[in-house]
Amino acid sequence: MTEYERSRTMPAQPEQVFDQAANVGQLETWLPRDLHVEPEEPPAVTVHEDRTDQDTSALLRARPEQMRLEWGTREQGSYAGWLQVAGLDSGASEVTVHLSFFDESHDPGRRTVTEALDGSLRRLEDQVRMRTDNAAG
């Protein structure tokens, strides 16, 4: 099993960050560019990966009371992950994303995963900033 984890501080309340991250209709605004999530009957989703041109049955659960998203493959059990939002005393939030690859053949490698996670967290922060700036203005 291979695991990866990245965190980023965002200048917004944790509820605002979680609401943006958990919005199934806007996942593609911050997920890695080659992943596309199609909602089904909750918690079921289908994930299309451009790199492999494959659709994968998956689960996506939002746990608002914990400010946590959890996901993973349905049939294969080869991949799982979570996103956790935590409030900081400064009024900002820390967002942590953790990925676990149970099947080594599904692991795209440390560099690819690290770049994808960093890019996703940066895009999520951009989305949160746009949302909070629009709400304030």
Side-chain angles (χ1 to χ4, degrees):
M1 177 170 71
T2 307
E3 297 187 89
Y4 303 97
E5 190 169 290
R6 303 297 280 181
S7 296
R8 185 176 184 96
T9 300
M10 300 187 186
Q13 294 294 320
E15 296 81 7
Q16 294 170 312
V17 176
F18 180 79
D19 286 350
Q20 184 65 42
N23 185 333
V24 177
Q26 294 190 4
L27 289 174
E28 290 187 23
T29 64
W30 67 270
L31 284 178
R33 301 272 189 227
D34 65 341
L35 294 180
H36 310 281
V37 178
E38 184 65 36
E40 296 177 21
E41 185 67 33
V45 296
T46 297
V47 179
H48 179 81
E49 184 176 357
D50 292 342
R51 182 176 61 90
T52 61
D53 196 34
Q54 290 184 328
D55 290 336
T56 303
S57 296
L59 298 173
L60 174 66
R61 288 189 178 92
R63 301 192 186 284
E65 70 284 356
Q66 298 172 355
M67 286 193 270
R68 183 177 178 95
L69 287 177
E70 299 171 343
W71 60 85
T73 51
R74 274 192 280 185
E75 283 92 27
Q76 314 93 313
S78 57
Y79 166 84
W82 51 261
L83 175 144
Q84 181 72 54
V85 181
L88 302 174
D89 289 340
S90 63
S93 301
E94 181 176 55
V95 180
T96 301
V97 179
H98 183 96
L99 302 179
S100 300
F101 292 92
F102 305 111
D103 179 342
E104 299 295 325
S105 68
H106 291 319
D107 180 359
R110 179 162 300 283
R111 181 176 178 193
T112 300
V113 173
T114 299
E115 288 174 358
L117 289 176
D118 287 342
S120 291
L121 287 168
R122 189 171 42 255
R123 286 189 299 279
L124 177 57
E125 181 179 359
D126 291 344
Q127 291 299 310
V128 169
R129 282 183 191 271
M130 285 192 306
R131 183 176 171 190
T132 56
D133 288 350
N134 287 341

